Amino acid sequence: MKRVVTVQDVSCVGKCSLTVALPIISAAGVECAVVPTAVLSTHTAFPKFTFCDLTDEIEPIANTWKELDITFDAIYTGYLGSHRQLSLVGKLIDDFKESGTLVVIDPVMADNGVLYKGFTPEFAAAMAKLCAKADLIVPNLTEASFMLGIEYNPDYDEEYIRDVLKRLTGLGCPRAAITGITLKKGEIGVYYYDRETDSYYSYFNELLPVRYHGTGDIYASATVGALMRGLSYEDSLALATDFTLECIKYTLHDENRRFYGVNFEEALPFYISRIPTTAL
Ligand code: PXL
């Protein structure tokens, strides 16, 4: 069985970061080790929340793992909250990346043209540097724009997205996927570029007239789980797109839905059904 380590916060309520990465990666049949970077009462989109910083734990955890010869098939980072965390996570990647280790960075920090609470353009520039260490990055267009230091352009066309993707791989990562892309009315999906083969791939689904929190984290986690089970980059990104749509559909049809996240739990059987089975 493959083992992933994911580095992100625990938002105790408000389905995102570790509370979605753990169940989704586990559902893929992949062990999910964690480095919790902070504990918050909820994610930061709530009107108030507690925040306990665990940055000081990152190095001792990593050093102890090293002494125990613990290794990982993939390193997957999500929401990171400070420059110090970025540099410690960079070191963790350097220390644990071996020839076959997959590094996926989801540069969580912004959406809809604006940075989340507490983030700055300088942080985005530092995140861009971290992205050089990744095999795949999965920003949305807002995060991509902040990392490249360009204006967020919501009136994009396909040529523009292709150009942004090329610039993203110029950060040093061989592959980039921009999530939440709409090129045709009524569709939403992912646009991907592989610099090594100089090839693009895109995959779209129906766009539902709703927006829910946490879908980016669900998308990235589903991609990592699928990659670990041997799906290609393209197939993993497409499965994550389909799974995210299923999550949104379950939420939409639930009269008792929560306001802060999607019903990804009810869509897990769909996700699992698309993961290759292991022979005993
Ligand atoms: O879903 C991204 C995310 C993760 N973790 C925390 C957040 C957010 C987005 O707001 O606040 C703590």
Side-chain angles (χ1 to χ4, degrees), residues 30-76:
V30 174
E31 179 181 346
C32 185
V34 302
V35 178
T37 52
V39 177
L40 295 83
S41 52
T42 62
H43 60 64
T44 61
F46 281 73
K48 64 188 283 194
F49 52 87
T50 66
F51 180 90
C52 172
D53 185 26
L54 296 176
T55 307
D56 287 341
E57 291 299 309
I58 297 175
E59 226 172 0
I61 289 173
N63 290 345
T64 309
W65 283 344
K66 265 279 155 214
E67 285 165 26
L68 294 171
D69 289 327
I70 291 172
T71 58
F72 300 101
D73 299 292
I75 303 166
Y76 156 40

Side-chain angles (χ1 to χ4, degrees), residues 4 24-26 28-30 76 220-231 236 239 271 275:
V4 172
I24 293 171
I25 291 170
S26 301
V30 174
Y76 156 40
S221 302
T223 302
V224 170
L227 285 169
M228 282 290 94
R229 294 306 302 272
L231 270 68
S236 299
L239 171 53
Y271 178 62
I275 296 284

Side-chain angles (χ1 to χ4, degrees), residues 122 145 224 248:
E122 293 71 41
S145 307
V224 170
I248 293 170

